[in-house]
Amino acid sequence: MTTEPLKQLDIWIHPKDLIELRKDVWNDEPVEAILKTGHTKSYVYASYRGSHIRKLKKKSYQIQYRKPKQRQGEAIFHLNAEYNDPSIIRNRLSFYFFEQIGVLSPAASHVFLTINGRKEGIYLKIESVDELFLQKRQLVGGGIYYAVDDDANFSLLSSFDKKPKKHLLLGYEKKVGTSKHDEQLSEFIYFLNTATDEVFAKHIEQYLDVTQYFLWLIGVVCTQNFDGFVHNYALYVNDQGKIQVLPWDYDATWGRDIHGEEMAFDYIPVSGFNTLTARLLDIPSFKKAYYTLFQHVLDAHFSEEPLCPMIEKWHASIEQRLADDPYMKDRKKILQSERGLIRQYIHKRRRYLQDEIRKEIAGM
């Protein structure tokens, strides 16, 4: 196996701006910076990103190009420290897995970051889900919404106080789109909560790409992203109002939770959970389609053979620069044990899901 060296990103920030940036980790205001990648220099804005991860020693960043001509096919990208993930690769492995099973996913690659010449270490560079994301995939127009909190639960009730939502787009942040897309998404949420079973079964496919939704759901269930059902996703609403769901923020997966602690392989049920999933799986034809599709994913994609070589490849590249990372330089043995833990998780989770699918199919 050939080991590819990590691309290096060098960011330069005026010292007074860097002091201002570090003064308050909760401040979203960006500072001007210069980004150098090889011989290419670009003018950018840099800011912190994330929620609870801002408290960690190793910070995550958002980088936005100031001049469109310098974008190199991207307007914004994210640099995730992956500090709570001892393997450093769970997000990337998740996006790779989703892509393999046919779900739109952001591109991701590991890089080495310096700021003002100081080594900041290994980061995961993640593509922003925006208009350029759509253009690269030949998707014309449409709206993109980020599920920014648990109110993005496909329900009419708030997750926080169980009271009716003040508006149907509560929990979503529009990244791209128009008022037309707002109306289409609102109409979808209202329909799925108010339509009778007969009407829902007959018309849901006018609003939702059901096969794609099931593939996304299978991805969440396989990786066990506990927050993934009502959070940690993005919506793509095309100009016909049909919706697809995309993964986002998948470091708490593959056998570990949001705190980096081990999660039991059978913690999340094969059916997952949220209002939309419950309605779909109440319809016999959809339920059969879901479990048939799920079995195919287990047979073709969710196993050690296609996944573990990617882990080995990425870790080989990471290990070349690990000693230069001031926050993670002592993780070499941890990476080795994490490979074993993820492999064991895939084996046990796959066997558990196969047993559960057999029970579901037998009960139909």
Side-chain angles (χ1 to χ4, degrees), residues 126-143:
I126 303 176
E127 178 185 20
S128 176
V129 180
D130 53 23
E131 56 264 60
L132 291 175
F133 174 94
L134 297 178
Q135 288 175 20
K136 289 176 189 175
R137 292 154 179 84
Q138 286 79 54
L139 298 171
V140 181

Side-chain angles (χ1 to χ4, degrees), residues 280-296:
L280 287 168
L281 296 185
D282 270 347
I283 300 166
S285 61
F286 285 149
K287 186 175 182 178
K288 182 178 180 181
Y290 173 65
Y291 287 114
T292 301
L293 193 58
F294 209 140
Q295 187 59 61
H296 168 72

Side-chain angles (χ1 to χ4, degrees), residues 305-341:
E305 287 73 19
L307 294 172
C308 289
M310 301 309 299
I311 300 171
E312 297 279 350
K313 178 182 176 181
W314 297 334
H315 272 177
S317 296
I318 288 169
E319 286 173 356
Q320 286 187 333
R321 296 303 305 270
L322 201 59
D324 295 327
D325 188 315
Y327 305 97
M328 297 179 173
K329 57 187 176 183
D330 58 349
R331 286 198 183 185
K332 188 165 185 178
K333 287 185 178 178
I334 295 173
L335 291 187
Q336 294 170 357
S337 64
E338 282 297 300
R339 289 199 288 273
L341 189 147

Side-chain angles (χ1 to χ4, degrees), residues 150 220 224-233 252 258 268 273:
D150 287 353
V220 185
Q224 280 205 140
N225 187 337
F226 180 75
D227 289 335
F229 302 100
V230 295
H231 198 18
N232 291 347
Y233 69 85
I258 194 171
I268 290 176
F273 43 82

